[in-house]
Amino acid sequence: MSEPISIDIWSDIACPWCYIGKRNLEAGLAATASDEDAPEVRITFHSFELSPDTPVDFDGDEIDFLAGHKGMPREQVEQMLSHVTNVAAQAGLEYNFDKLQHTNTVKAHELLHHAKAKGLQHEMEERLMSAYFTEGRHVGRIDDLVALAAEVGLDAAETAEVLQSSQYLDAVRADQAQARAYGINGVPFFVIDGKYGVSGAQPAEAFQNVIRDVWAQRGADSEEELAG
């Protein structure tokens, strides 16, 4: 039996295209699950901060942030957010930019590493993205993050201690260093089997095809090895 395909995803929980890409990947994998020889995958999320200079408590809404950060006219930002909201809806996601609380995400990334150590990284990733884009929850302050962590089954007291001590900050920085080594300067970015890079929130069909191709190649390689 072949080893699972590794899918390493560099993303930021405050990246709207990352949540869309996550959903499209999940849809692509769901489509392969009924294959006679269904691919097996192992997904790991890695840290990438889109705006590391953002304050924890940003004074303004998402339009204020993007207009100031990217120097875009407010009308253009509004059109861009409307487009992203529509694309998200097609992926089954409800984005509420009017409620969104822009913040620094480094502590959220530390939390994801803690969740990974406890076997709950996928649940934590989903909870953070949903809280941020759909519910308008704050995901930059330790108390707010601890509350979200408890919702997915992490111990609140332990999580608070981990975040206050910055126990996983080095792991966050290591992910970011690996991204630079790969030449990743935008997210989402998917590295499949350590060989193939897929950039951006590709459609579900694109993920479906590449996963099937990699799995088929795995099978062909295994047959060659058995044949000697």
Side-chain angles (χ1 to χ4, degrees), residues 109-111 113-115 117 162 165-173:
H109 285 296
E110 291 178 33
L111 174 55
H113 280 278
H114 174 56
V162 162
S165 68
S166 298
Q167 180 178 329
Y168 287 99
L169 182 58
D170 286 347
V172 173
R173 299 300 181 226

Side-chain angles (χ1 to χ4, degrees), residues 26-47:
E26 290 164 353
L29 290 173
T32 68
S34 58
D35 291 0
E36 185 176 342
D37 180 22
E40 296 177 23
V41 302
R42 181 178 59 248
I43 298 171
T44 305
F45 292 96
H46 298 275
S47 304

Side-chain angles (χ1 to χ4, degrees), residues 11-92:
S11 67
D12 193 344
I13 60 100
C15 161
W17 293 106
C18 292
Y19 200 6
I20 294 167
K22 178 178 180 293
R23 266 301 178 278
N24 289 349
L25 171 64
E26 290 164 353
L29 290 173
T32 68
S34 58
D35 291 0
E36 185 176 342
D37 180 22
E40 296 177 23
V41 302
R42 181 178 59 248
I43 298 171
T44 305
F45 292 96
H46 298 275
S47 304
F48 191 101
E49 290 178 89
L50 282 174
S51 305
D53 57 343
T54 304
V56 171
D57 292 299
F58 177 75
D59 184 18
D61 61 16
E62 184 70 353
I63 297 174
D64 293 327
F65 176 80
L66 289 173
H69 191 72
K70 297 184 178 295
M72 297 165 59
R74 290 182 66 87
E75 184 179 334
Q76 187 179 347
V77 172
E78 290 172 355
Q79 291 173 351
M80 184 177 72
L81 294 181
S82 176
H83 170 67
V84 175
T85 299
N86 289 335
V87 176
Q90 292 168 21

Side-chain angles (χ1 to χ4, degrees), residues 35-221:
D35 291 0
E36 185 176 342
D37 180 22
E40 296 177 23
V41 302
R42 181 178 59 248
I43 298 171
T44 305
F45 292 96
H46 298 275
S47 304
F48 191 101
E49 290 178 89
L50 282 174
S51 305
D53 57 343
T54 304
V56 171
D57 292 299
F58 177 75
D59 184 18
D61 61 16
E62 184 70 353
I63 297 174
D64 293 327
F65 176 80
L66 289 173
H69 191 72
K70 297 184 178 295
M72 297 165 59
R74 290 182 66 87
E75 184 179 334
Q76 187 179 347
V77 172
E78 290 172 355
Q79 291 173 351
M80 184 177 72
L81 294 181
S82 176
H83 170 67
V84 175
T85 299
N86 289 335
V87 176
Q90 292 168 21
L93 298 169
E94 181 185 350
Y95 280 8
N96 292 306
F97 285 109
D98 56 330
K99 297 197 296 187
L100 187 149
Q101 298 187 62
H102 207 86
T103 187
N104 188 290
T105 60
V106 70
K107 285 295 175 187
H109 285 296
E110 291 178 33
L111 174 55
L112 285 168
H113 280 278
H114 174 56
K116 178 185 174 184
K118 300 295 182 179
L120 290 168
Q121 190 191 40
H122 292 194
E123 293 84 352
M124 195 73 254
E125 181 87 14
E126 177 65 29
R127 189 67 197 93
L128 285 167
M129 287 180 156
S130 174
Y132 186 72
F133 285 108
T134 299
E135 301 164 38
R137 298 272 292 269
H138 202 296
V139 298
R141 297 184 297 242
I142 289 177
D143 288 351
D144 296 283
L145 290 169
V146 168
L148 290 169
E151 289 182 25
V152 303
L154 291 169
D155 181 81
E158 182 185 15
T159 301
E161 184 179 336
V162 162
L163 295 179
Q164 286 160 1
S165 68
S166 298
Q167 180 178 329
Y168 287 99
L169 182 58
D170 286 347
V172 173
R173 299 300 181 226
D175 275 354
Q176 293 168 330
Q178 183 63 65
R180 288 192 294 273
Y182 277 144
I184 299 170
N185 50 31
V187 288
F189 195 93
F190 305 80
V191 177
I192 299 174
D193 253 9
K195 304 175 187 174
Y196 311 102
V198 178
S199 179
Q202 299 294 324
E205 294 77 13
F207 289 116
Q208 186 178 324
N209 292 337
V210 71
I211 294 300
R212 282 181 171 139
D213 289 347
V214 171
W215 191 246
Q217 185 59 51
R218 284 283 194 81
D221 291 345

